[in-house]
Amino acid sequence: MATYTTQEYANMHLIYGECLCNASEAARRYRERYPNADRYPDHRVFTNVHRLLFSEGRLPNQVHGEGRMSLTTLRGS
C-alpha cells in the first residue's frame, strides 16, 4: 500500500469534504489541483483517510496514538 505524507493526507481529506464525501469526485479534483504530483490516490484512499480520522483520530501514516495529546500532556505534567 502506498503511503503519503501527512500534508498529502490532509489535502485529501480537505478535498474529500469539498466534494461532499464523494470519493470519485475527490480523486478527480485532487488530480486537477495537483497536476505535477508523483502519484495520485485511488478514490478508496479518500474514504479510508476519512474513516480513520473519525474512528481513530489519526491519519493512515501515523502510528496508533501518535500525535494525540494525553490529558497529562495538556496539563503540563
Side-chain angles (χ1 to χ4, degrees), residues 1-6 8-9 12 30 38-46 48-49 52 59-62:
M1 180 173 98
T3 59
Y4 297 90
T5 66
T6 300
E8 288 171 320
Y9 282 128
M12 287 177 210
Y30 189 93
D38 293 332
R39 60 196 169 181
Y40 297 106
D42 182 77
H43 69 279
R44 292 170 291 201
V45 175
F46 292 86
N48 288 337
V49 168
L52 267 176
L59 293 170
N61 63 343
Q62 293 178 314

Side-chain angles (χ1 to χ4, degrees), residues 2-73:
T3 59
Y4 297 90
T5 66
T6 300
Q7 184 65 51
E8 288 171 320
Y9 282 128
N11 291 337
M12 287 177 210
H13 196 252
L14 287 172
I15 291 171
Y16 185 69
E18 289 172 9
C19 295
L20 305 176
C21 299
N22 180 328
S24 295
E25 175 64 18
R28 185 191 64 72
R29 194 172 295 182
Y30 189 93
R31 287 189 299 274
E32 287 177 358
R33 192 165 298 171
Y34 303 103
N36 298 321
D38 293 332
R39 60 196 169 181
Y40 297 106
D42 182 77
H43 69 279
R44 292 170 291 201
V45 175
F46 292 86
T47 55
N48 288 337
V49 168
H50 182 75
R51 180 187 52 78
L52 267 176
L53 275 173
F54 275 85
S55 67
E56 298 182 24
R58 68 181 183 92
L59 293 170
N61 63 343
Q62 293 178 314
V63 176
H64 186 67
E66 179 184 319
R68 296 175 119 190
M69 288 190 188
S70 68
L71 189 54
T72 305
T73 304

